Short mmCIF file of all heavy atoms in Angstrom, two decimals:
data_model
loop_
_atom_site.label_atom_id
_atom_site.label_comp_id
_atom_site.label_asym_id
_atom_site.label_seq_id
_atom_site.Cartn_x
_atom_site.Cartn_y
_atom_site.Cartn_z
N TYR A 808 -12.61 -18.99 -6.72
CA TYR A 808 -13.60 -18.48 -7.66
C TYR A 808 -13.02 -18.51 -9.07
O TYR A 808 -11.80 -18.52 -9.26
CB TYR A 808 -14.04 -17.08 -7.25
CG TYR A 808 -14.79 -17.08 -5.94
CD1 TYR A 808 -14.11 -16.92 -4.73
CD2 TYR A 808 -16.16 -17.30 -5.90
CE1 TYR A 808 -14.79 -16.96 -3.52
CE2 TYR A 808 -16.85 -17.33 -4.70
CZ TYR A 808 -16.16 -17.17 -3.51
OH TYR A 808 -16.84 -17.23 -2.32
N SER A 809 -13.91 -18.49 -10.05
CA SER A 809 -13.48 -18.70 -11.43
C SER A 809 -12.49 -17.65 -11.93
O SER A 809 -11.69 -17.93 -12.83
CB SER A 809 -14.70 -18.73 -12.36
OG SER A 809 -15.41 -17.49 -12.30
N ASP A 810 -12.54 -16.45 -11.35
CA ASP A 810 -11.65 -15.38 -11.83
C ASP A 810 -10.65 -14.90 -10.79
O ASP A 810 -9.91 -13.96 -11.05
CB ASP A 810 -12.47 -14.20 -12.34
CG ASP A 810 -13.45 -13.66 -11.30
OD1 ASP A 810 -13.36 -14.06 -10.11
OD2 ASP A 810 -14.31 -12.84 -11.66
N SER A 811 -10.60 -15.54 -9.62
CA SER A 811 -9.71 -15.04 -8.57
C SER A 811 -8.25 -15.37 -8.83
O SER A 811 -7.35 -14.60 -8.49
CB SER A 811 -10.14 -15.56 -7.20
OG SER A 811 -10.20 -16.97 -7.17
N ALA A 812 -7.96 -16.52 -9.45
CA ALA A 812 -6.57 -16.91 -9.69
C ALA A 812 -5.85 -15.93 -10.60
O ALA A 812 -4.65 -15.69 -10.44
CB ALA A 812 -6.51 -18.32 -10.28
N ALA A 813 -6.57 -15.34 -11.55
CA ALA A 813 -5.94 -14.40 -12.48
C ALA A 813 -5.43 -13.17 -11.77
O ALA A 813 -4.49 -12.52 -12.23
CB ALA A 813 -6.92 -14.01 -13.58
N SER A 814 -6.04 -12.81 -10.64
CA SER A 814 -5.59 -11.65 -9.87
C SER A 814 -4.50 -12.02 -8.86
O SER A 814 -3.48 -11.34 -8.76
CB SER A 814 -6.77 -11.01 -9.13
OG SER A 814 -7.53 -10.19 -9.97
N TYR A 815 -4.73 -13.09 -8.10
CA TYR A 815 -3.80 -13.42 -7.02
C TYR A 815 -2.55 -14.14 -7.53
O TYR A 815 -1.49 -14.07 -6.89
CB TYR A 815 -4.50 -14.28 -5.97
CG TYR A 815 -5.61 -13.56 -5.25
CD1 TYR A 815 -6.91 -14.07 -5.24
CD2 TYR A 815 -5.37 -12.37 -4.57
CE1 TYR A 815 -7.93 -13.43 -4.57
CE2 TYR A 815 -6.38 -11.71 -3.90
CZ TYR A 815 -7.67 -12.23 -3.90
OH TYR A 815 -8.68 -11.58 -3.23
N GLY A 816 -2.65 -14.87 -8.61
CA GLY A 816 -1.48 -15.48 -9.22
C GLY A 816 -1.06 -16.80 -8.62
O GLY A 816 -0.90 -17.79 -9.32
N THR A 817 -0.82 -16.80 -7.30
CA THR A 817 -0.36 -18.01 -6.61
C THR A 817 -1.04 -18.11 -5.25
O THR A 817 -1.47 -17.10 -4.66
CB THR A 817 1.16 -18.01 -6.39
OG1 THR A 817 1.51 -16.98 -5.45
CG2 THR A 817 1.92 -17.79 -7.70
N GLU A 818 -1.08 -19.34 -4.73
CA GLU A 818 -1.62 -19.56 -3.38
C GLU A 818 -0.77 -18.85 -2.34
O GLU A 818 -1.29 -18.26 -1.39
CB GLU A 818 -1.70 -21.05 -3.08
CG GLU A 818 -2.38 -21.40 -1.77
CD GLU A 818 -3.87 -21.08 -1.78
OE1 GLU A 818 -4.48 -21.04 -2.87
OE2 GLU A 818 -4.42 -20.85 -0.69
N ALA A 819 0.54 -18.89 -2.52
CA ALA A 819 1.43 -18.25 -1.55
C ALA A 819 1.18 -16.75 -1.48
O ALA A 819 1.17 -16.15 -0.38
CB ALA A 819 2.88 -18.54 -1.91
N ASN A 820 1.01 -16.10 -2.62
CA ASN A 820 0.75 -14.67 -2.64
C ASN A 820 -0.58 -14.35 -1.96
O ASN A 820 -0.67 -13.41 -1.17
CB ASN A 820 0.73 -14.18 -4.09
CG ASN A 820 0.48 -12.69 -4.20
OD1 ASN A 820 1.13 -11.88 -3.54
ND2 ASN A 820 -0.46 -12.31 -5.05
N PHE A 821 -1.60 -15.12 -2.26
CA PHE A 821 -2.91 -14.90 -1.65
C PHE A 821 -2.85 -15.03 -0.14
O PHE A 821 -3.32 -14.16 0.60
CB PHE A 821 -3.92 -15.90 -2.23
CG PHE A 821 -5.24 -15.93 -1.51
CD1 PHE A 821 -6.11 -14.86 -1.59
CD2 PHE A 821 -5.59 -17.04 -0.75
CE1 PHE A 821 -7.33 -14.88 -0.92
CE2 PHE A 821 -6.80 -17.08 -0.09
CZ PHE A 821 -7.67 -15.99 -0.16
N GLN A 822 -2.25 -16.11 0.34
CA GLN A 822 -2.22 -16.35 1.79
C GLN A 822 -1.36 -15.33 2.52
O GLN A 822 -1.70 -14.90 3.63
CB GLN A 822 -1.72 -17.76 2.07
CG GLN A 822 -2.67 -18.86 1.64
CD GLN A 822 -2.18 -20.24 2.00
OE1 GLN A 822 -1.14 -20.40 2.65
NE2 GLN A 822 -2.92 -21.27 1.59
N ALA A 823 -0.28 -14.92 1.92
CA ALA A 823 0.63 -13.99 2.60
C ALA A 823 0.15 -12.56 2.58
O ALA A 823 0.42 -11.79 3.52
CB ALA A 823 2.02 -14.08 1.97
N ASN A 824 -0.61 -12.17 1.53
CA ASN A 824 -0.85 -10.75 1.33
C ASN A 824 -2.31 -10.32 1.25
O ASN A 824 -2.59 -9.12 1.34
CB ASN A 824 -0.15 -10.30 0.04
CG ASN A 824 1.34 -10.47 0.10
OD1 ASN A 824 2.00 -9.96 1.00
ND2 ASN A 824 1.89 -11.21 -0.86
N TYR A 825 -3.26 -11.26 1.09
CA TYR A 825 -4.62 -10.83 0.82
C TYR A 825 -5.72 -11.59 1.57
O TYR A 825 -6.83 -11.06 1.70
CB TYR A 825 -4.90 -10.93 -0.69
CG TYR A 825 -3.95 -10.06 -1.49
CD1 TYR A 825 -2.88 -10.61 -2.19
CD2 TYR A 825 -4.09 -8.67 -1.49
CE1 TYR A 825 -2.00 -9.82 -2.90
CE2 TYR A 825 -3.21 -7.87 -2.19
CZ TYR A 825 -2.16 -8.44 -2.89
OH TYR A 825 -1.29 -7.65 -3.57
N GLN A 826 -5.47 -12.78 2.06
CA GLN A 826 -6.53 -13.54 2.72
C GLN A 826 -6.91 -12.87 4.04
O GLN A 826 -6.04 -12.53 4.86
CB GLN A 826 -6.10 -14.99 2.97
CG GLN A 826 -7.23 -15.86 3.50
CD GLN A 826 -6.81 -17.32 3.67
OE1 GLN A 826 -5.64 -17.67 3.51
NE2 GLN A 826 -7.77 -18.17 4.01
N LEU A 827 -8.21 -12.70 4.25
CA LEU A 827 -8.70 -11.98 5.44
C LEU A 827 -8.78 -12.93 6.64
O LEU A 827 -9.86 -13.27 7.13
CB LEU A 827 -10.05 -11.34 5.13
CG LEU A 827 -10.04 -10.25 4.05
CD1 LEU A 827 -11.45 -9.82 3.71
CD2 LEU A 827 -9.20 -9.05 4.49
N THR A 828 -7.63 -13.32 7.12
CA THR A 828 -7.53 -14.24 8.25
C THR A 828 -7.40 -13.44 9.55
O THR A 828 -7.10 -12.24 9.54
CB THR A 828 -6.30 -15.14 8.10
OG1 THR A 828 -5.13 -14.30 8.07
CG2 THR A 828 -6.37 -15.95 6.81
N PRO A 829 -7.58 -14.12 10.70
CA PRO A 829 -7.35 -13.42 11.98
C PRO A 829 -5.96 -12.81 12.09
O PRO A 829 -5.81 -11.69 12.58
CB PRO A 829 -7.57 -14.53 13.02
CG PRO A 829 -8.56 -15.45 12.36
CD PRO A 829 -8.18 -15.45 10.90
N SER A 830 -4.94 -13.52 11.63
CA SER A 830 -3.58 -12.97 11.73
C SER A 830 -3.40 -11.77 10.81
O SER A 830 -2.71 -10.81 11.17
CB SER A 830 -2.55 -14.06 11.39
OG SER A 830 -2.73 -14.55 10.08
N PHE A 831 -4.03 -11.81 9.64
CA PHE A 831 -3.95 -10.67 8.72
C PHE A 831 -4.59 -9.44 9.35
O PHE A 831 -4.00 -8.35 9.37
CB PHE A 831 -4.65 -11.04 7.41
CG PHE A 831 -4.63 -9.96 6.36
CD1 PHE A 831 -3.64 -9.91 5.40
CD2 PHE A 831 -5.63 -8.99 6.32
CE1 PHE A 831 -3.63 -8.93 4.42
CE2 PHE A 831 -5.63 -8.00 5.35
CZ PHE A 831 -4.62 -7.97 4.40
N VAL A 832 -5.81 -9.59 9.83
CA VAL A 832 -6.51 -8.45 10.43
C VAL A 832 -5.76 -7.95 11.66
O VAL A 832 -5.61 -6.74 11.87
CB VAL A 832 -7.96 -8.83 10.77
CG1 VAL A 832 -8.63 -7.71 11.55
CG2 VAL A 832 -8.74 -9.15 9.50
N LYS A 833 -5.28 -8.87 12.49
CA LYS A 833 -4.54 -8.47 13.70
C LYS A 833 -3.30 -7.65 13.34
O LYS A 833 -2.99 -6.65 13.99
CB LYS A 833 -4.12 -9.72 14.47
CG LYS A 833 -3.42 -9.44 15.81
CD LYS A 833 -3.06 -10.73 16.50
CE LYS A 833 -2.45 -10.49 17.86
NZ LYS A 833 -3.41 -9.88 18.80
N ASN A 834 -2.62 -8.04 12.28
CA ASN A 834 -1.40 -7.36 11.86
C ASN A 834 -1.65 -5.91 11.47
O ASN A 834 -0.80 -5.04 11.68
CB ASN A 834 -0.77 -8.11 10.69
CG ASN A 834 0.59 -7.58 10.31
OD1 ASN A 834 1.43 -7.32 11.15
ND2 ASN A 834 0.80 -7.40 9.02
N TYR A 835 -2.84 -5.63 10.90
CA TYR A 835 -3.13 -4.29 10.40
C TYR A 835 -4.17 -3.54 11.23
O TYR A 835 -4.61 -2.45 10.84
CB TYR A 835 -3.63 -4.38 8.95
CG TYR A 835 -2.58 -4.88 7.98
CD1 TYR A 835 -2.68 -6.16 7.43
CD2 TYR A 835 -1.49 -4.10 7.62
CE1 TYR A 835 -1.73 -6.64 6.54
CE2 TYR A 835 -0.54 -4.57 6.74
CZ TYR A 835 -0.66 -5.83 6.20
OH TYR A 835 0.30 -6.30 5.32
N ALA A 836 -4.54 -4.07 12.39
CA ALA A 836 -5.68 -3.55 13.14
C ALA A 836 -5.43 -2.20 13.81
O ALA A 836 -6.36 -1.40 13.98
CB ALA A 836 -6.12 -4.56 14.19
N ALA A 837 -4.21 -1.92 14.21
CA ALA A 837 -3.94 -0.80 15.11
C ALA A 837 -4.56 0.53 14.67
O ALA A 837 -5.20 1.21 15.48
CB ALA A 837 -2.44 -0.64 15.31
N PRO A 838 -4.44 0.97 13.41
CA PRO A 838 -5.00 2.27 13.04
C PRO A 838 -6.52 2.32 13.07
O PRO A 838 -7.10 3.41 12.94
CB PRO A 838 -4.48 2.48 11.61
CG PRO A 838 -3.33 1.56 11.46
CD PRO A 838 -3.67 0.38 12.30
N PHE A 839 -7.16 1.16 13.25
CA PHE A 839 -8.62 1.09 13.16
C PHE A 839 -9.27 0.79 14.51
O PHE A 839 -10.47 0.53 14.58
CB PHE A 839 -9.02 0.03 12.14
CG PHE A 839 -8.44 0.28 10.77
CD1 PHE A 839 -7.23 -0.30 10.41
CD2 PHE A 839 -9.08 1.12 9.88
CE1 PHE A 839 -6.68 -0.05 9.16
CE2 PHE A 839 -8.55 1.38 8.63
CZ PHE A 839 -7.35 0.79 8.28
N THR A 840 -8.49 0.86 15.57
CA THR A 840 -9.03 0.57 16.89
C THR A 840 -9.48 1.81 17.64
O THR A 840 -10.13 1.70 18.69
CB THR A 840 -7.99 -0.18 17.75
OG1 THR A 840 -6.80 0.62 17.85
CG2 THR A 840 -7.63 -1.53 17.12
N THR A 841 -9.18 2.98 17.13
CA THR A 841 -9.54 4.22 17.83
C THR A 841 -10.58 5.04 17.10
O THR A 841 -11.12 6.00 17.66
CB THR A 841 -8.29 5.09 18.03
OG1 THR A 841 -7.69 5.36 16.75
CG2 THR A 841 -7.28 4.37 18.92
N ALA A 842 -10.88 4.71 15.83
CA ALA A 842 -11.88 5.46 15.07
C ALA A 842 -12.56 4.50 14.11
O ALA A 842 -11.96 3.54 13.61
CB ALA A 842 -11.22 6.60 14.29
#
């Protein structure tokens, strides 16, 4: 998007820390499986 690069900075940062991929969600899912 026209303004997303200014926030994420680099492709590596986006993919490692912010992209809503299956592996990303799986990594953080545990606290959200019971409530």
Side-chain angles (χ1 to χ4, degrees):
Y808 294 90
S809 61
D810 55 11
S811 56
S814 279
Y815 295 123
T817 67
E818 186 68 24
N820 181 50
F821 170 69
Q822 292 183 4
N824 298 304
Y825 300 104
Q826 188 177 6
L827 296 173
T828 61
S830 60
F831 181 93
V832 173
K833 184 179 184 66
N834 187 46
Y835 294 108
F839 303 93
T840 58
T841 57

